[in-house]
Amino acid sequence: MEQTATETPRNVFSCQLCGLSTSYTYYGQKPPNTRAIVLLEECFVAKDPFSPDKEKFLVLGSACSLCNMCVCVGPDCSLFYTKRFCMQCVKKHLDQFPHQIRAELAKKKQSSKSGVS
Amino acid sequence: MDRDRSRDGRSWDWGSPQNRAQMDEIFFREQDYIQAGCTEHKEFWAFFDRFQRFKAKREMSGSGIRDDVKEKIRSGSEKVDLGLPKEYDARYRINVSVCTGDIEKRVRKSDPRSRQRSSGPGPQEVSDCRLALLHFLDFSQKQSFGKLAKLRREQKNLPIFQYRDRIVELVRRHPVIVVAGDTGCGKSTQVPQYLLSAGFSHIACTQPRRIACISLAKRVSFESLNQYGSKVGYQIRFETSRTAATKLLFLTEGLLLRQIQQDKILDQYQVVIVDEVHERHLHCDFLLGVLRSLLAERPDLRLILMSATINIKLFSEYFRSAPVLQVPGRLFPIQVIYQPIPPEEQPSRSEKLDPRPYLRILQGIDQRYPPEERGDLLLFLSGVAEISNIQEACQVYATHTRRWIVLPLHSTLSLAQQDKVFDVSPPGVRKCIISTNIAETSVTIDGVRFVVDSGKVKEMSFDPKAKMQRLQEFWISRASSEQRKGRAGRTGPGVCYRLYSESDYNAFAPYPVPEIHRVALDSLVLQMKSMDLGDPLSFVFIDPPPTASIQTAVTYLKEQGALDSRGELTSIGKLLAQLPVDVVIGKMLVLGSLFNLVEPVLTIAAALSVQSPFLRSSQQNPDCKTSCQPLHSNQGDPFTLLNTFNAWVEVKGERGGGSRKWCRRRGLEEQRLYEMVNLRRQFKNLLRSHGLLESEDTAPSSGDREQRRERFTERKKLHQLKRDHEQQEGTKRKVLRLEEGGEFSSGSDSEDRGRGRKSKEGQGQEVDIQEVKFKLRHNVSELQEAVGASQDLSSRHQALLKLLLCRGLYPQLALPDEHNTTRKDSDQVFHTRNKQGVVMHPTSVFASDPEVLHVPEDEPRETGPDRRDSSRHQLLAFVTLLETNKPYLSNCVRVPALQALLLVANSVDTNADCTRLVVDGWLELEVREPEEALRVLSRALSLRSEWERLLKAQLGQSATSGQGVSRRDMEKLSDGLVRFLLYTEVSYSLQRITALQTQNLYVGPQADPDSVYSELPDLSLLFPGAEAKPDPIKGGLRVTSFFTYNCLADSKDLYSECLRTFWSCPNCDLYMPLTPLERMHHEASCRPAGERQEAEEESGDGKSGSSGKSSLTRVYHCDVCDEDLKLTSTEILKHKRQHTFSAK
């Protein structure tokens, strides 16, 4: 029993902000079978589980370019703007981000607040 | 994007297919991530159009530039420079890039012509397209990731999630654990996943219902991100998605039991999860017992019981105080309102249910809750009659208020009608679902806010004394009551109206009676025997069934010949234990395999094992009734089913998809026919694997290469259709229309009206998934061939088939009451051995045509007030005897009484001259002529012993691989049986033995038997293998296991057995005075002259010539030529066709 439990050591990606965890199959910028497609950051990549096509990939997350924390690509945990930033770093350096992004974040904050109350 | 754009002085039309094709050559080549022609490719171009529109809007509003100015100002004053670009571009938010530079160059070079004409894409167009592609990729990534995140969020929110590690740890440390949690805690979907991700593999998870196996496998494979793999699979009776890669398998309890039957220590699994153990189904209770004893041999096996929070202690203690993990459920608060029915509205015994209490609740809801507050109502009643009664009343109210759609829900509805309860009602309208207890556990409907509980349930019980099933109404248990209440709080707070008082509730039994205490245990005991579980009485059940119940089953199995006198499995019993059907149906299959009647027997056995395809509701519809008429057979209901199946297969072969319409017109539920065809094949395989059926030799011969290729491509297409269907399945629910509730009773017709429009629109696209699965599983032309063999049975085959059914069904026989001729059609009465005064179920062919059972009026010669002599007495062999408001017989077949009894009965007792016969101690037959009586009896005895011999040989065949049954012997026997059945013209009376008669039925043991029987010939010669000796109880002489001679206490002289009368043998020249026994003896050993000659020939040269072609032929009686012909099946068809052509 214990053998089989350890038999398949799996690479598990875990978001350090939201805790989302799922196994990944590739880490890097060029997932297999992606041809002309290149990722602009080193990513944790899995096969897209919602596509019947075996070759479709899904980017799960990557490391924040500033603090190096592992974060998922969910909009609550990180954003990509030429580089990956975790939400904590985004908040810290919010003023360096363009207006569009700031407006968007403010709007999201508001809607999530009203959603809770 | 039809508008042209002007760039570089050229116009480029994005809407033109040629232009798009040029783009495809750059971005969507065959080796690319997205290929032209695939789904994503189509999605991309749709996305592209939206994207271009969006961009155009953006440009017009001219946003963007202003912000960049601000940006520049800000970025100057920062400590840490993130190095972000100065100008905002949405493109920077995408972490993907597409490199196509090389191809673009090549395209430009290789196609100079297009360049000259400047019709190819310029760099701007290419970059536009690339940008759109990037956004598209980003969009699909976000979409998929969103799904994943949502999934994980939902899993995390389930009450069971916080117990995740604890569960895994408990499983690691204990062989057995109990996980108890109420509805909505997520145990069924999550526990298997926790084990999977903890590294366990080879997990089996049982479910009481097939449908749950499929839906859980689907859900769990989705949740464990293996939707398109086979890591998670299911296996049910006819379907499996299991592969070598499957780690988690959902299967039915019955199927796991069958697997244990094959694989005693269940090597194939590491973990077994038994879900819904609290439901206490027969199979589940038994499975727990089997697993409990298996644990000793498999200390490494992990067993997890999952239950609602009902009676948990029972399960834990059964497994040596296994640890229990209790998980809170997730239900919204439910208000309980007790509204006992006032006495003046209580239904009296015979009356219909008073709808007023139910209508008041509907009214109350309408008054109290605004229609825009959604929430449907679920009403629990005990049975179908009650449902249609209340439905009618509610429908009147609904039509008036236009605020309700009333829908019935019970298992005898067509599947399409059952499915309607999942559709959504239009705004302002509520569904009122009136259901049996099927909605308590089996069917879960979301969106229910109000529950009305009548507190009643109809439950099947078994009366071992009358050998009868009984469907009775009971108060429900507190556990059921809570379960029903819980249905109101699945999606939000709810209300439960209980139509009984709180004190009633408190008086309810705590739990429902487990199935094992209610049903006949024949199949269970048989299975236990075949699994070597020892004495069923000492088996440790979680809640042992009554001893009497097991004993009844053992006796029954002995009567059926499945167990021998010591209670061990007989060879036929071993086989029956392998067949997943009732013992009687299994017997039919085995018997059918002996004669050339396998095909029709397979069909009938399958038909009798599934629900009737004739929908109750539509049989009241005159149109359906008329169109069904040609399918009816007055030989009996199994023949009607056989005709129906055959006709359906023919339609399938001719028009494929047209069969759905064909069924609808006749009020048939096609699903049942699909079940039949699957079951039929399973039976065939089982018979084959037990050597009872020759294996098919037609496999490689099926057509030339062309045909095979055709079939292959067709299958490929079908598989694709199936996959497509599975993908889009359940994505959208239809919206009900107000009128849709208005239909009741007349199933098929209203379905046509209700759904007709939709199906017409969707014709072509709408796939009949059942048809697809059918085609994948069966070869229609092969099936047609098989069915052709059972179509238009000759009267001879029909007679033989009836005998087989009768022998299979024995001792389930019923006698028509002698006064039936004077009664109305609907008042016909029948008697079984254990139950007097039963009636015919209205669905039976004999309910509408009872005259065929009457003794012909012209023939009987009245010999006394109560005695009626005829050679046409008939009995009914029946499949079920079920008491609802009356005891009903259903699925009956009629057989000639004397012949059938002599050939199948377990006990035949006679007087000295054999003119009086008592069968099984309840039927008395008196034959007028002693001469005839002797002849018939003697013939029956020799036919029976030959039949027994061949059957033994047939059954022993697989074990000893001996010679088996020669075709010649079989044909001779079947010929003999048919002659006996059809041409025995003996006049006799038939009546039941009265209670008074039973007391003095037998002479009893004789003081000095030796003196009486001293002159007897050697009887072992007469009946091989039989030891004829005085019967210690009945008296007389026990000649064979079923025949006791001269044991009946008779007014006639006891010594008449010694009286000799002159007799001449029809076969030889013998003419001398003989006693009855001496005469039987002679007859058994003296064969007709013709036969003797044949036998000689056979031993000589006859063999070689007949074995080839003739082995495929059978005797076919052509009614047109009035000749018996020896032909093969195809020749028969040809022969028949010849007549039809010449007739035209």
Side-chain angles (χ1 to χ4, degrees):
Chain A
M1 196 80 57
E2 306 305 323
Q3 300 169 343
T4 35
T6 51
E7 209 174 59
T8 48
R10 291 193 303 168
N11 299 315
V12 175
F13 164 80
S14 214
C15 172
Q16 285 175 265
L17 279 180
C18 73
L20 177 135
S21 84
T22 187
S23 58
Y24 68 94
T25 47
Y26 172 81
Y27 179 75
Q29 285 187 279
K30 194 82 191 73
N33 304 315
T34 45
R35 315 305 142 116
I37 293 170
V38 177
L39 299 176
L40 299 176
E41 55 175 340
E42 305 254 305
C43 289
F44 293 96
V45 180
K47 179 207 152 325
D48 182 355
F50 307 106
S51 164
D53 189 339
K54 280 195 196 104
E55 307 201 334
K56 294 287 175 279
F57 67 90
L58 175 63
V59 174
L60 300 169
S62 60
C64 171
S65 61
L66 285 180
C67 69
N68 219 23
M69 181 159 63
C70 245
V71 279
C72 75
V73 299
D76 294 333
C77 296
S78 72
L79 69 76
F80 186 86
Y81 191 68
T82 68
K83 282 175 272 198
R84 179 73 51 191
F85 299 100
C86 76
M87 265 315 157
Q88 289 175 352
C89 290
V90 172
K91 273 180 200 152
K92 227 183 277 171
H93 306 283
L94 194 62
D95 47 356
Q96 292 191 48
F97 285 89
H99 164 75
Q100 282 87 343
I101 289 179
R102 276 181 284 137
E104 228 178 81
L105 290 175
K107 211 166 133 194
K108 206 169 68 192
K109 206 170 167 187
Q110 213 170 22
S111 72
S112 74
K113 250 189 201 161
S114 63
V116 170
S117 61
Chain B
M1 273 298 93
D2 325 82
R3 105 196 106 91
D4 290 4
R5 288 235 214 141
S6 199
R7 268 192 185 136
D8 303 337
R10 298 182 304 125
S11 77
W12 175 266
D13 176 11
W14 279 114
S16 133
Q18 288 90 347
N19 287 350
R20 289 197 173 190
Q22 284 184 337
M23 283 300 171
D24 287 348
E25 273 180 45
I26 297 172
F27 293 102
F28 308 113
R29 293 162 309 154
E30 211 170 301
Q31 65 270 33
D32 271 317
Y33 186 62
I34 296 173
Q35 298 102 28
C38 71
T39 335
E40 280 93 356
H41 175 250
K42 273 181 222 126
E43 280 167 9
F44 167 77
W45 282 112
F47 177 88
F48 181 85
D49 292 342
R50 268 181 288 146
F51 185 67
Q52 293 294 88
R53 270 200 298 272
F54 174 76
K55 254 187 9 190
K57 228 160 90 190
R58 226 32 220 282
E59 272 167 31
M60 294 227 301
S61 69
S63 63
I65 302 146
R66 209 170 359 126
D67 301 311
D68 293 330
V69 183
K70 273 186 198 167
E71 228 49 60
K72 278 172 196 163
I73 300 162
R74 285 192 172 274
S75 56
S77 64
E78 268 310 317
K79 297 166 253 166
V80 186
D81 186 9
L82 301 185
L84 299 178
K86 303 297 170 221
E87 252 174 72
Y88 175 79
D89 192 328
R91 160 80 190 80
Y92 296 144
R93 306 189 63 169
I94 301 170
N95 67 344
V96 182
S97 138
V98 177
C99 314
T100 48
D102 50 331
I103 307 138
E104 286 164 48
K105 244 181 247 162
R106 204 156 17 132
V107 168
R108 265 175 234 139
K109 269 184 202 152
S110 69
D111 204 359
R113 204 162 33 106
S114 69
R115 190 78 202 129
Q116 279 162 11
R117 288 217 246 122
S118 70
S119 65
Q124 183 60 45
E125 281 86 23
V126 173
S127 105
D128 278 355
C129 190
R130 176 183 299 114
L131 187 66
L133 177 57
L134 288 176
H135 278 276
F136 175 69
L137 288 171
D138 189 51
F139 169 75
S140 4
Q141 285 289 321
K142 285 210 170 88
Q143 221 178 15
S144 280
F145 188 81
K147 264 193 206 171
L148 177 66
K150 181 172 169 240
L151 185 67
R152 290 290 190 245
R153 216 165 35 238
E154 282 171 355
Q155 287 179 325
K156 237 175 154 172
N157 287 337
L158 286 169
I160 201 162
F161 184 76
Q162 56 189 108
Y163 300 91
R164 183 190 158 114
D165 296 335
R166 177 124 181 74
I167 290 171
V168 171
E169 200 196 293
L170 279 173
V171 174
R172 286 225 167 94
R173 286 184 22 213
H174 301 273
V176 186
I177 72 161
V178 180
V179 177
D182 283 320
T183 318
C185 80
K187 57 182 187 309
S188 301
T189 54
Q190 302 306 303
V191 172
Q193 284 187 73
Y194 297 165
L195 297 177
L196 264 187
S197 50
F200 289 98
S201 57
H202 307 293
I203 305 170
C205 180
T206 71
Q207 293 294 323
R209 285 166 287 275
R210 282 181 231 167
I211 187 95
C213 294
I214 302 177
S215 58
L216 276 172
K218 210 165 139 189
R219 180 67 203 169
V220 173
S221 60
F222 173 76
E223 282 195 23
S224 56
L225 310 181
N226 202 258
Q227 193 180 355
Y228 299 100
S230 58
K231 209 168 82 189
V232 181
Y234 67 87
Q235 191 170 3
I236 56 175
R237 203 174 192 176
F238 306 116
E239 254 184 277
T240 183
S241 65
R242 185 184 196 173
T243 68
T246 303
K247 291 183 167 175
L248 166 62
L249 184 72
F250 288 93
L251 74 175
T252 54
E253 293 154 352
L255 201 65
L256 185 64
L257 276 170
R258 297 260 160 223
Q259 289 180 350
I260 301 176
Q261 226 171 332
Q262 312 291 327
D263 168 14
K264 285 244 160 72
I265 55 164
L266 210 53
D267 235 359
Q268 54 185 316
Y269 302 117
Q270 187 185 17
V271 182
V272 173
I273 305 173
V274 185
D275 200 0
E276 318 280 12
V277 286
H278 63 277
E279 289 190 19
R280 305 294 309 278
H281 294 282
L282 178 65
H283 276 146
C284 184
D285 271 16
F286 180 42
L287 179 64
L288 290 181
V290 173
L291 289 171
R292 188 174 175 274
S293 52
L294 201 142
L295 280 170
E297 288 168 73
R298 282 281 315 270
D300 59 319
L301 185 73
R302 288 295 177 262
L303 181 59
I304 299 154
L305 312 186
M306 300 210 287
S307 146
T309 48
I310 296 173
N311 216 355
I312 309 162
K313 232 175 93 190
L314 176 76
F315 299 106
S316 167
E317 276 167 11
Y318 186 51
F319 287 97
R320 294 183 200 88
S321 303
V324 175
L325 187 86
Q326 202 159 340
V327 183
R330 191 172 60 183
L331 273 186
F332 293 90
I334 299 160
Q335 185 193 359
V336 178
I337 300 171
Y338 288 98
Q339 266 183 20
I341 296 176
E344 67 273 16
E345 291 173 4
Q346 289 284 3
S348 64
R349 229 183 160 333
S350 56
E351 256 174 75
K352 278 181 168 182
L353 225 52
D354 193 325
R356 281 177 293 178
Y358 302 92
L359 289 173
R360 271 202 300 276
I361 291 170
L362 259 66
Q363 268 173 332
I365 291 170
D366 283 342
Q367 284 160 11
R368 221 160 300 148
Y369 304 93
E372 53 279 3
E373 265 182 35
R374 276 196 168 266
D376 300 320
L377 178 138
L378 177 59
L379 200 165
F380 286 101
L381 291 175
S382 63
V384 177
E386 289 76 8
I387 288 174
S388 54
N389 181 19
I390 297 300
Q391 187 194 350
E392 212 169 316
C394 288
Q395 188 52 53
V396 175
Y397 178 76
T399 315
H400 175 68
T401 59
R402 302 184 63 78
R403 281 170 73 171
W404 294 91
I405 290 176
V406 187
L407 299 168
L409 176 63
H410 49 83
S411 61
T412 58
L413 284 177
S414 74
L415 296 177
Q417 276 180 309
Q418 286 185 31
D419 204 46
K420 269 194 193 174
V421 301
F422 298 110
D423 292 350
V424 264
S425 56
V429 178
R430 298 178 200 283
K431 282 187 285 183
C432 167
I433 300 156
I434 310 182
S435 171
T436 57
N437 62 343
I438 190 176
E440 205 176 290
T441 46
S442 321
V443 179
T444 300
I445 309 153
D446 279 330
V448 171
R449 180 176 173 190
F450 309 100
V451 162
V452 181
D453 179 11
S454 67
K456 298 288 176 63
V457 68
K458 272 193 188 142
E459 225 160 45
M460 198 72 94
S461 57
F462 180 68
D463 176 352
K465 223 172 114 203
K467 290 244 177 217
M468 178 173 71
Q469 288 186 302
R470 199 173 268 145
L471 194 63
Q472 278 174 299
E473 196 178 79
F474 297 100
W475 282 112
I476 57 172
S477 65
R478 289 203 293 273
S480 298
S481 174
E482 288 303 296
Q483 180 72 27
R484 289 182 178 188
K485 180 183 102 184
R487 293 303 190 178
R490 289 178 49 80
T491 29
V495 187
C496 174
Y497 302 88
R498 288 178 168 163
L499 297 180
Y500 42 87
S501 67
E502 195 163 3
S503 58
D504 287 333
Y505 173 81
N506 290 325
F508 287 172
Y511 315 110
V513 182
E515 197 179 1
I516 201 165
H517 289 253
R518 292 190 276 117
V519 299
L521 302 179
D522 316 330
S523 298
L524 180 77
V525 170
L526 187 65
Q527 209 174 359
M528 291 180 79
K529 286 282 179 192
S530 85
M531 289 168 88
D532 277 333
L533 293 175
D535 182 3
L537 284 170
S538 56
F539 186 78
V540 188
F541 283 103
I542 188 162
D543 188 355
T547 310
S549 202
I550 292 179
Q551 276 161 345
T552 307
V554 171
T555 315
Y556 177 80
L557 290 172
K558 281 181 185 166
E559 273 174 14
Q560 293 280 4
L563 296 179
D564 63 20
S565 52
R566 289 166 303 145
E568 297 303 315
L569 276 183
T570 59
S571 48
I572 195 169
K574 273 183 203 134
L575 189 58
L576 291 175
Q578 305 286 319
L579 300 171
V581 286
D582 278 356
V583 174
V584 287
I585 289 164
K587 255 167 72 190
M588 278 179 210
L589 286 171
V590 175
L591 293 168
S593 73
L594 179 61
F595 298 105
N596 251 338
L597 284 169
V598 190
E599 299 298 343
V601 168
L602 281 169
T603 305
I604 288 174
L608 295 178
S609 308
V610 303
Q611 262 187 43
S612 169
F614 292 94
L615 287 167
R616 252 331 262 292
S617 50
S618 37
Q619 295 313 306
Q620 281 141 21
N621 177 330
D623 288 343
C624 288
K625 222 174 167 177
T626 322
S627 46
C628 280
Q629 205 54 50
L631 302 174
H632 284 276
S633 163
N634 72 14
Q635 297 299 325
D637 306 304
F639 287 86
T640 301
L641 291 168
L642 176 67
N643 291 344
T644 307
F645 182 82
N646 289 345
W648 178 72
V649 168
E650 201 159 283
V651 172
K652 275 266 174 225
E654 281 166 14
R655 332 172 219 158
S659 67
R660 185 146 62 160
K661 198 171 165 197
W662 184 87
C663 285
R664 198 146 45 191
R665 188 160 292 162
R666 280 155 189 79
L668 292 164
E669 173 58 64
E670 192 168 26
Q671 183 58 33
R672 308 276 168 263
L673 291 157
Y674 284 120
E675 285 168 19
M676 275 162 68
V677 75
N678 292 334
L679 199 52
R680 194 178 183 285
R681 193 163 88 160
Q682 190 192 17
F683 289 165
K684 202 168 190 176
N685 289 339
L686 276 167
L687 290 181
R688 212 170 270 151
S689 67
H690 286 86
L692 292 179
L693 204 59
E694 288 151 44
S695 43
E696 229 152 10
D697 42 1
T698 51
S701 72
S702 52
D704 50 296
R705 197 185 297 169
E706 192 62 30
Q707 265 177 322
R708 274 210 304 275
R709 191 184 307 142
E710 237 168 68
R711 172 106 182 118
F712 178 75
T713 42
E714 197 202 348
R715 285 183 71 86
K716 225 171 115 184
K717 223 172 76 193
L718 290 168
H719 273 297
Q720 187 56 47
L721 277 172
K722 192 176 161 209
R723 268 197 300 276
D724 290 351
H725 176 87
E726 277 160 5
Q727 244 172 286
Q728 51 179 262
E729 205 178 30
T731 44
K732 251 208 171 139
R733 274 286 156 200
K734 290 178 209 84
V735 177
L736 291 161
R737 288 168 305 126
L738 254 183
E739 312 86 78
E740 259 177 296
E743 53 192 54
F744 31 113
S745 49
S746 51
S748 68
D749 191 38
S750 49
E751 227 165 276
D752 265 342
R753 257 190 284 126
R755 309 238 147 170
R757 213 178 337 138
K758 267 179 234 159
S759 59
K760 236 173 247 165
E761 277 168 22
Q763 229 159 38
Q765 295 119 292
E766 198 194 343
V767 189
D768 181 354
I769 189 64
Q770 292 304 333
E771 162 85 10
V772 171
K773 285 189 187 167
F774 169 82
K775 278 194 183 156
L776 273 174
R777 219 172 276 155
H778 306 276
N779 183 336
V780 186
S781 54
E782 255 174 49
L783 196 62
Q784 266 181 311
E785 226 168 90
V787 156
S790 62
Q791 237 159 2
D792 303 319
L793 290 169
S794 68
S795 55
R796 301 163 54 87
H797 279 107
Q798 200 172 53
L800 194 56
L801 187 52
K802 276 160 68 179
L803 178 67
L804 296 190
L805 297 187
C806 176
R807 184 162 174 193
L809 293 171
Y810 175 86
Q812 292 163 198
L813 299 177
L815 172 74
D817 188 83
E818 62 260 51
H819 302 301
N820 272 353
T821 34
T822 61
R823 290 193 175 99
K824 276 198 303 184
D825 280 9
S826 53
D827 292 347
Q828 304 281 307
V829 177
F830 303 85
H831 311 282
T832 74
R833 185 179 171 186
N834 303 299
K835 179 84 186 169
Q836 296 189 6
V838 300
V839 295
M840 189 60 65
H841 197 268
T843 53
S844 173
V845 65
F846 298 118
S848 48
D849 196 6
E851 288 84 18
V852 293
L853 296 174
H854 296 165
V855 174
E857 278 298 337
D858 49 301
E859 204 210 354
R861 291 158 288 181
E862 298 284 346
T863 45
D866 272 333
R867 188 172 159 163
R868 185 176 242 175
D869 277 16
S870 168
S871 58
R872 302 262 175 273
H873 289 291
Q874 292 181 94
L875 290 175
L876 288 174
F878 61 88
V879 179
T880 38
L881 172 55
L882 170 69
E883 187 177 78
T884 52
N885 54 347
K886 286 181 205 161
Y888 285 111
L889 294 173
S890 42
N891 278 328
C892 303
V893 60
R894 61 186 167 102
V895 288
L898 174 70
Q899 297 94 312
L901 287 173
L902 289 179
L903 290 174
V904 307
N906 274 346
S907 152
V908 177
D909 304 318
T910 69
N911 62 355
D913 61 0
C914 300
T915 52
R916 184 163 166 248
L917 297 99
V918 171
V919 177
D920 292 334
W922 76 288
L923 287 174
E924 182 187 48
L925 296 89
E926 284 182 272
V927 183
R928 180 173 294 266
E929 296 295 326
E931 184 70 12
E932 284 179 337
L934 265 181
R935 206 184 56 219
V936 166
L937 189 61
S938 157
R939 185 83 193 118
L941 290 175
S942 63
L943 282 170
R944 246 181 110 148
S945 78
E946 175 68 357
W947 195 358
E948 243 24 63
R949 187 182 73 79
L950 295 188
L951 203 55
K952 275 211 181 94
Q954 169 94 345
L955 287 172
Q957 197 174 13
S958 50
T960 56
S961 73
Q963 239 193 333
V965 179
S966 85
R967 190 160 288 275
R968 198 189 189 87
D969 282 353
M970 186 276 290
E971 263 166 23
K972 209 160 68 193
L973 172 64
S974 71
D975 193 57
L977 288 171
V978 166
R979 263 175 220 282
F980 183 69
L981 288 164
L982 293 181
Y983 308 123
T984 302
E985 295 280 343
V986 174
S987 190
Y988 62 98
S989 71
L990 173 64
Q991 55 272 324
R992 281 174 298 147
I993 302 257
T994 61
L996 196 68
Q997 278 176 295
T998 331
Q999 288 168 19
N1000 305 307
L1001 198 56
Y1002 299 113
V1003 290
Q1006 299 298 295
D1008 184 11
D1010 286 343
S1011 67
V1012 182
Y1013 299 109
S1014 54
E1015 285 179 75
L1016 282 180
D1018 181 10
L1019 283 158
S1020 62
L1021 260 179
L1022 180 53
F1023 306 110
E1027 344 122 51
K1029 49 181 177 203
D1031 190 294
I1033 300 158
K1034 296 177 184 173
L1037 198 64
R1038 196 179 153 94
V1039 179
T1040 70
S1041 60
F1042 61 90
F1043 173 45
T1044 311
Y1045 172 68
N1046 198 18
C1047 62
L1048 292 180
D1050 217 60
S1051 51
K1052 285 179 192 163
D1053 184 7
L1054 251 181
Y1055 290 90
S1056 59
E1057 63 175 296
C1058 306
L1059 289 182
R1060 290 191 164 83
T1061 44
F1062 273 96
W1063 177 70
S1064 58
C1065 175
N1067 300 332
C1068 61
D1069 296 333
L1070 182 86
Y1071 177 74
M1072 59 188 293
L1074 292 172
T1075 68
L1077 268 181
E1078 281 167 348
R1079 200 180 123 182
M1080 278 190 247
H1081 175 212
H1082 177 84
E1083 276 187 299
S1085 52
C1086 179
R1087 299 164 81 189
E1091 232 174 82
R1092 255 177 296 170
Q1093 210 175 341
E1094 269 178 49
E1096 275 153 30
E1097 267 174 35
E1098 194 177 354
S1099 58
D1101 60 344
K1103 252 180 189 166
S1104 55
S1106 63
S1107 61
K1109 191 184 172 191
S1110 73
S1111 63
L1112 298 168
T1113 60
R1114 58 191 172 104
V1115 178
Y1116 165 71
H1117 181 84
C1118 174
D1119 292 333
V1120 184
C1121 310
D1122 199 21
E1123 251 183 302
D1124 278 342
L1125 305 162
K1126 271 204 142 196
L1127 299 171
T1128 63
S1129 302
T1130 37
E1131 281 169 339
I1132 293 172
L1133 287 174
K1134 273 186 207 155
H1135 184 87
K1136 273 197 269 184
R1137 208 168 295 148
Q1138 169 200 323
H1139 284 308
T1140 41
F1141 283 133
S1142 56
K1144 280 171 197 166

